[in-house]
Amino acid sequence: MSANPQWDVSRALGVARLFHLVCGVRDACVTPFLTLYLRQLGLAAPWVGILMGTKHLIAAFWGPFCAFLAKSYQKRRVLLMGSLLGSVGASLLLVLVPPLDRDLRSGSCNASDGATPTAPPPGAALTGTFASNHSPGTVEASGVGKGPAGSVHEPSGHPPGHAVGSVEGARTTSLAVHPGPSGVKAPSREGAFKVGGTALPLLAGGTALGSPANWSAAEGHARALGLSSEGLRWTFFLSLGSMVFWELLTAPLEQVADDSLYEYLDCVDATDRYRSLWVWRLLGMSTGACGIAALAGRLECSLVTNGPRGVLHFYGYSLVSTLAFLVSIAFPVPTCRRREPSYKTVKALSLVAGDPRLTLLALTVFLLGAATSTVQNFLFWHMKDRGSSELVMGFSVALGWLGEVVVHPFRATVLRKLTRVGTVGLGLGCLAGQLLYYAFLWNWWSVLPAQTLSAISSGALGWAVKASVEHLASPGMERPLSAMFQGHFYGGGSSLGSFAGGFVVMSFSLAVLYQACCVGLLLWLALFLSVQRTLPQEQRINYSKLLVVEASDTSDSEPGTERDWLVKAMREEHSG
């Protein structure tokens, strides 16, 4: 078959590895840093949560639908190339969205990017001005004098509206709130510091807004639920439109590419070589996250003089998307078409509803997506509040991805020793421990030790879920069921977690969000293990294995040989 270029398996696998590597670099240029850029635009946590939740929701349902259409009408290569080419321009639409604070266009590169000191979140530097129609409570800050008419005068040498003091000064400035009405005022201009062009309500009870633990919560209160500001409305809705259009173009790419390659290899009976390709994507993502962060730190201020920090990530994404488009021209797409039922998604859903083990596993994956989304959306905010640079952020996520690659050779041993249920429990416990650790970060580098647990909380947990799905699926339903778990259940959970997480951050803080997710996962872990014990032990034969053996040797088999492989298959099934 290798003599026919149409079925050159070695060439097809080489192109697929390169494609996965390039797409990994492409995704890592923007995806880990996207919420950080939205924060630079001036959007608070609830609006960022809505944007990311919408993005996950589109990916969960639009991607599989487009993959089904592309397969039905034999337009996979057209969709691959169109998705990559369209994302080149669609990603740049977000760069055109004006930031809420116009001063970011000129002042974002004034601070040094070396070992970044602890700084207030973007748009949260105290300008030292106070609304003229303020409430009776007064504010005193070190180095700031209280003048007549309730205004706050800055020390000489600072023009009106200029941020007072250095970054460290902003961090250590003490604010004393005199007795006044309890609670937080509504997001009006009254009784508030001006924060990045937005009024920052004063927190009752003497809360220190300069504390890193309160910066994200203060931002959320500053731009709370009302879209009353015209600038905020424009920034939010333009960001929403750009992200929806962008996600509609990019969502089908991964599933269409995976289905095309799998069916290509299936036509030549080489699907066993498909399983190792995910490693190349993770390697590409690790390289892309560290590479774009290093380039942005060194080149962004000299190359991008008009715009918020982070636009270089989108330029890198577009450049790598162009390279991926060139690779997609040679990507293997099957020409043979096998008759398969078109209702596999409905059948997969009926399997989940009819099997209590699959139902329990689906709920676990849904909650896993919700908890993981809080890390993907807001961990970099937490690190930024503690002075982390983008290079450290990129290295932290790369550390987790590389950990998954390193521990993968031990997959069979772990699943055999702990069983699938035990491995799921271990993964959930590790993820809960990570979330609790994130809630108590004390400086910019403290996140790195916890990232090593991603090898278990993401890698081993993923193996166990996939092995359980393949074990519980009926013959021929393994891939549709796995796609449903990865797309609909995990994606739906990520969407819900993003929607809810943003409002929790606004109402409380990032630390409270991570603590709540930790408690929720531990409670679900206890319920998961207790319910698993009540389910009856299953002993069923994997008929697909038996049929493969029977088809390979039907004429020469002897009764003793048949009995041997039948017993072996039953033992494998029982031990799994």
Side-chain angles (χ1 to χ4, degrees), residues 245-265:
F245 180 64
W246 183 14
E247 191 63 26
L248 288 174
L249 289 173
T250 58
L253 179 66
E254 184 175 352
Q255 185 166 347
V256 170
D258 286 345
D259 290 347
S260 297
L261 180 62
Y262 184 86
E263 291 183 18
Y264 180 94
L265 296 176

Side-chain angles (χ1 to χ4, degrees), residues 465-537:
V465 170
K466 187 174 182 180
S468 299
V469 169
E470 292 178 350
H471 173 74
L472 297 171
S474 58
M477 290 299 299
E478 292 86 353
R479 280 183 59 79
L481 200 58
S482 296
M484 175 169 285
F485 269 75
Q486 183 177 356
H488 295 86
F489 296 138
Y490 186 84
S494 297
S495 180
L496 180 62
S498 298
F499 286 133
F503 288 95
V504 173
V505 172
M506 182 199 70
S507 302
F508 302 99
S509 67
L510 281 171
V512 172
L513 174 64
Y514 289 138
Q515 291 167 12
C517 289
C518 172
V519 172
L521 282 179
L522 290 178
L523 291 176
W524 178 255
L525 174 59
L527 180 63
F528 176 81
L529 294 178
S530 61
V531 172
Q532 282 286 346
R533 292 192 182 97
T534 64
L535 296 176
Q537 293 292 327

Side-chain angles (χ1 to χ4, degrees), residues 211-231:
S211 169
N214 294 311
W215 283 335
S216 296
E219 270 192 314
H221 286 293
R223 304 186 184 101
L225 294 179
L227 281 175
S228 57
S229 167
E230 183 178 356

Side-chain angles (χ1 to χ4, degrees), residues 134-398:
H134 61 285
S135 58
T138 57
V139 176
E140 295 176 358
S142 59
V144 181
K146 178 175 175 292
S151 62
V152 177
H153 292 287
E154 299 169 351
S156 59
H158 294 287
H162 189 276
V164 180
S166 63
V167 168
E168 285 295 323
R171 191 180 70 174
T172 58
T173 297
S174 61
L175 298 177
V177 181
H178 288 269
S182 61
V184 179
K185 285 179 66 65
S188 65
R189 297 283 177 178
E190 297 185 353
F193 272 111
K194 188 178 180 185
V195 178
T198 307
L200 176 61
L202 299 177
L203 302 181
T207 304
L209 295 182
S211 169
N214 294 311
W215 283 335
S216 296
E219 270 192 314
H221 286 293
R223 304 186 184 101
L225 294 179
L227 281 175
S228 57
S229 167
E230 183 178 356
L232 178 57
R233 282 200 303 269
W234 273 106
T235 301
F236 174 73
F237 286 116
L238 287 177
S239 299
L240 180 62
S242 301
M243 288 188 63
V244 167
F245 180 64
W246 183 14
E247 191 63 26
L248 288 174
L249 289 173
T250 58
L253 179 66
E254 184 175 352
Q255 185 166 347
V256 170
D258 286 345
D259 290 347
S260 297
L261 180 62
Y262 184 86
E263 291 183 18
Y264 180 94
L265 296 176
D266 190 35
C267 288
V268 292
D269 297 325
T271 53
D272 57 314
R273 304 176 70 177
Y274 167 81
R275 291 181 175 270
S276 62
L277 290 174
W278 63 270
V279 174
W280 294 92
R281 180 176 288 272
L282 287 187
L283 291 176
M285 293 173 70
S286 303
T287 304
C290 293
I292 194 66
L295 287 175
R298 291 189 173 275
L299 301 178
E300 187 160 32
C301 287
S302 58
L303 295 179
V304 182
T305 58
N306 186 25
R309 298 294 303 274
V311 295
L312 197 62
H313 292 272
F314 295 91
Y315 296 146
Y317 178 94
S318 296
L319 181 63
V320 182
S321 294
T322 305
L323 179 59
F325 169 78
L326 298 176
V327 178
S328 69
I329 298 175
F331 191 83
V333 174
T335 56
C336 64
R337 186 174 182 179
R338 297 186 175 182
R339 290 288 181 181
E340 293 182 354
S342 58
Y343 51 86
K344 282 196 170 184
T345 300
V346 177
K347 186 177 180 181
L349 191 60
S350 66
L351 283 175
V352 174
D355 190 331
R357 289 181 176 80
L358 282 175
T359 303
L360 192 63
L361 194 63
L363 292 174
T364 302
V365 171
F366 185 86
L367 293 177
L368 179 64
T372 305
S373 69
T374 64
V375 178
Q376 296 171 346
N377 293 342
F378 300 116
L379 179 60
F380 282 6
W381 287 33
H382 214 30
M383 296 174 67
K384 186 71 173 179
D385 288 349
R386 279 145 186 80
S388 175
S389 66
E390 286 192 3
L391 182 58
V392 175
M393 298 176 190
F395 179 73
S396 68
V397 293

Side-chain angles (χ1 to χ4, degrees), residues 38-62:
L38 294 174
R39 190 188 192 187
Q40 292 278 2
L41 291 180
L43 297 175
W47 312 123
V48 172
I50 291 173
L51 292 176
M52 298 304 296
T54 304
K55 179 178 184 294
H56 288 302
L57 197 62
I58 293 173
F61 295 96
W62 177 251

